[in-house]
């Protein structure tokens, strides 16, 4: 008795199933057409995929060739630059620096000659130029040291304009050092240090600067508040003396953040001792005058 072959039996069944499907397709033409249509669609889809793959391959090939061409162009340009540099190095004249130096010296010499000729020409013109005539307004003349003729009226105006531009230095108080504080008597300074004293000095200097900044402005340009201060200071100036710089306790408080309290009044004798400040009492007021 022969052995039973399961695989062979399975293959036979599959063949019979395929044959049955074919028989059914032949019997039902609609089912056969549906199978054929599906097969055509699948075949068209495979062909479409093949076309897309070919297009991508062509695009990649073009991109590769374009990049290769660009790189080759850049490489050619670099080689050309290298050749030019080598040519310049080989053919660069050895006496180039000396030639430039000689040309520069020659240029400077020509420039000096022209400059001297121009100065001589100007001096010649000045020596033969006629004396200018002035109107009756400038009837009197003065000759200055450089030979220029100027009327006394014009000289007065010039001196006046120069004096108006002069800047008068305010005698500000110098800061106190630790060595100077060591020389101050113990009973006078107590526990005060140079830092405390310099704070008062800074406040007095601020008052001096702000006060005389207002006093130097034209009176007609001042605001009402500053004008009142201006008039008050002018009255005080007559008591102290013309030309003497001074501030009062009110000025220090007005132009600084410091109030003239007991500590400040204790520092004033130290400033007098160190020759930073003088004190004057006139008409019920105390004036502080810098040295």
């Amino acid at each position: 008795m022969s052995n039973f072959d399961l695989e062979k039996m399975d293959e036979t069944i599959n063949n019979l199933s395929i044959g049955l499907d074919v028989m059914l397709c032949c019997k039902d033409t609609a089912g056969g057409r549906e199978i054929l249509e599906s097969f055509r669609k699948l075949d068209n889809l495979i062909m479409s995929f093949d076309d897309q793959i070919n297009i991508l391959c062509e695009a990649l090939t073009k991109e590769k060739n374009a990049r290769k061409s660009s790189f080759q162009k850049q490489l050619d340009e670099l080689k050309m630059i290298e050749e030019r540099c080598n040519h310049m190095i080989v053919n660069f004249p050895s006496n180039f620096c000396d030639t430039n130096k000689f040309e520069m010296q020659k240029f400077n010499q020509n420039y000096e000659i022209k400059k001297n000729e121009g100065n001589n020409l100007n001096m010649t013109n000045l020596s033969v130029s006629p004396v200018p005539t002035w109107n009756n307004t400038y009837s009197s003349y003065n000759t200055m040291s450089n030979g220029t003729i100027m009327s006394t009226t014009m000289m007065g105006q010039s001196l006046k304009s120069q004096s108006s531009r002069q800047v008068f230095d305010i005698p500000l108080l110098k800061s106190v050092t630790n060595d100077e504080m060591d020389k101050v008597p113990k009973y006078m300074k107590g526990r005060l240090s140079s830092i405390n004293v310099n704070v008062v000095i800074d406040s007095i200097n601020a008052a001096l600067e702000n006060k005389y900044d207002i006093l130097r402005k034209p009176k007609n340009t001042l605001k009402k508040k500053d004008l009142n201060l201006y008039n008050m200071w002018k009255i005080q100036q007559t008591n102290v003396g013309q030309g003497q710089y001074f501030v009062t306790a009110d000025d220090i408080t007005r132009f600084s953040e410091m109030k003239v309290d007991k500590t400040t009044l204790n520092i004033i004798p130290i400033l007098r001792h160190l020759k930073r400040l003088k004190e004057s009492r006139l008409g019920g007021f105390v004036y502080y005058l810098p040295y």
Side-chain angles (χ1 to χ4, degrees):
M1 185 175 179
S2 60
N3 295 329
F4 178 74
D5 192 350
L6 181 61
E7 292 181 358
K8 188 175 181 180
M9 183 179 178
D10 185 52
E11 183 180 355
T12 303
I13 292 172
N14 288 334
N15 292 332
L16 290 173
S17 177
I18 293 171
L20 182 61
D21 291 338
V22 172
M23 290 174 65
L24 291 174
C25 289
C26 292
K27 185 178 180 181
D28 187 3
T29 57
R33 285 195 298 269
E34 184 178 353
I35 293 174
L36 293 175
E37 186 66 25
S38 299
F39 178 77
R40 290 193 194 95
K41 289 181 180 180
L42 183 61
D43 189 40
N44 292 333
L45 185 61
I46 293 172
M47 292 177 64
S48 176
F49 286 157
D50 291 338
D51 293 339
Q52 294 294 330
I53 291 172
N54 292 331
I55 292 172
L56 289 175
C57 290
E58 291 177 0
L60 290 174
T61 303
K62 290 181 180 179
E63 181 68 19
K64 183 178 179 180
N65 294 334
R67 290 190 177 185
K68 184 177 180 181
S69 176
S70 176
F71 291 154
Q72 186 64 37
K73 185 178 180 180
Q74 293 179 2
L75 183 61
D76 294 339
E77 291 178 354
L78 290 174
K79 288 182 179 179
M80 187 180 298
I81 293 172
E82 183 181 6
E83 291 177 358
R84 290 180 179 178
C85 292
N86 292 331
H87 177 76
M88 292 173 63
I89 293 172
V90 173
N91 298 287
F92 191 81
S94 59
N95 60 345
F96 178 76
C97 295
D98 297 335
T99 304
N100 276 353
K101 185 176 180 180
F102 174 75
E103 293 293 336
M104 184 61 68
Q105 291 177 353
K106 186 177 179 181
F107 173 79
N108 291 334
Q109 290 176 359
N110 294 334
Y111 176 76
E112 292 294 334
I113 292 172
K114 291 181 179 179
K115 184 178 179 181
N116 293 331
E117 290 177 353
N119 291 335
N120 294 333
L121 181 61
N122 292 334
M123 292 299 294
T124 304
N125 292 336
L126 286 174
S127 62
V128 299
S129 60
V131 177
T133 57
W134 302 89
N135 296 331
N136 294 331
T137 307
Y138 308 107
S139 56
S140 57
Y141 302 94
N142 286 326
T143 303
M144 301 179 69
S145 59
N146 59 358
T148 306
I149 297 177
M150 181 179 289
S151 67
T152 54
T153 307
M154 294 177 65
M155 288 180 64
Q157 292 176 353
S158 177
L159 293 175
K160 184 177 180 181
S161 62
Q162 291 178 5
S163 62
S164 64
R165 291 194 299 267
Q166 288 180 355
V167 178
F168 299 94
D169 294 330
I170 301 173
L172 300 178
L173 279 64
K174 295 182 180 179
S175 300
V176 174
T177 62
N178 293 329
D179 294 337
E180 290 178 310
M181 283 297 295
D182 293 337
K183 298 178 182 178
V184 177
K186 184 67 177 178
Y187 75 90
M188 186 180 294
K189 64 181 178 181
R191 295 183 179 180
L192 295 172
S193 64
S194 60
I195 297 176
N196 305 120
V197 177
N198 287 330
V199 170
V200 177
I201 288 177
D202 292 339
S203 300
I204 294 173
N205 288 338
L208 283 167
E209 290 178 336
N210 287 281
K211 174 182 177 179
Y212 285 95
D213 182 60
I214 295 174
L215 285 172
R216 287 170 184 169
K217 292 180 180 178
K219 192 173 181 180
N220 56 357
T221 62
L222 297 175
K223 297 180 181 179
K224 184 177 180 181
K225 180 181 177 181
D226 293 337
L227 184 60
N228 294 334
L229 293 174
Y230 182 95
N231 294 328
M232 180 185 68
W233 289 331
K234 286 297 183 181
I235 295 173
Q236 293 175 351
Q237 189 72 58
T238 57
N239 297 330
V240 177
Q242 295 297 329
Q244 178 63 56
Y245 291 85
F246 70 93
V247 290
T248 62
D250 293 335
D251 297 334
I252 297 172
T253 304
R254 184 179 295 111
F255 295 114
S256 66
E257 299 178 356
M258 186 190 71
K259 294 183 179 180
V260 182
D261 53 7
K262 184 177 179 180
T263 304
T264 306
L265 295 176
N266 291 334
I267 292 175
I268 296 297
I270 298 176
L271 296 178
R272 292 205 310 267
H273 179 78
L274 296 175
K275 303 296 183 183
R276 296 294 196 278
L277 204 65
K278 293 183 288 186
E279 188 175 299
S280 177
R281 298 176 181 270
L282 297 169
F285 290 93
V286 180
Y287 302 98
Y288 302 111
L289 292 68
Y291 268 88

